[in-house]
Amino acid sequence: MIVSERHTDQGLLVTVCDADVLGESFEDEERGVSLTVTEEFYGGEEATPEEVEETLARASIGNLVGEEAVALAVDAGFVAEPNVLDVEDTRHAQFLRL
């Protein structure tokens, strides 16, 4: 997985994506939803599942794309499964910790 961290006025923003979705676009025409996994937003460093979980634990905002990244976030309790969005051939989830 690829993880990046950015400090924002709202806290630590963490993005995580599966390596195979970086640079890809996904669309669900029925719901009018599209998602582009850009290098500018999702690009970062390769990380192990343990490193990703540690980084998400510090995040104020999490943005995740890909089967593996979203499954990790659900399994670790950062995101509830009903809040996961399926977009074409991938999964997307976000969380905000207040």
Side-chain angles (χ1 to χ4, degrees):
M1 286 175 281
I2 299 171
V3 64
S4 71
E5 297 181 14
R6 294 175 187 82
H7 293 281
T8 71
D9 291 341
Q10 291 75 34
L12 180 64
L13 166 64
V14 173
T15 62
V16 182
C17 72
D18 294 359
D20 65 336
V21 300
L22 189 62
E24 299 292 324
S25 293
F26 304 93
E27 188 169 355
D28 182 333
E29 291 182 20
E30 284 183 23
R31 291 187 281 177
V33 175
S34 64
L35 173 66
T36 301
V37 188
T38 64
E39 176 73 34
E40 293 80 21
F41 189 70
Y42 289 96
E45 301 294 323
E46 289 276 344
T48 66
E50 294 79 16
E51 291 168 331
V52 169
E53 191 170 338
E54 289 172 10
T55 302
L56 289 174
R58 296 191 323 270
S60 300
I61 306 162
N63 197 308
L64 307 110
V65 179
E67 296 289 332
E68 185 179 7
V70 171
L72 182 147
V74 169
D75 291 345
F78 296 108
V79 175
E81 181 65 38
N83 297 324
V84 175
L85 182 63
D86 292 307
V87 182
E88 198 172 332
D89 297 330
T90 197
R91 307 195 87 202
H92 175 60
Q94 297 177 326
F95 70 86
L96 174 64
R97 192 174 289 130
L98 299 173

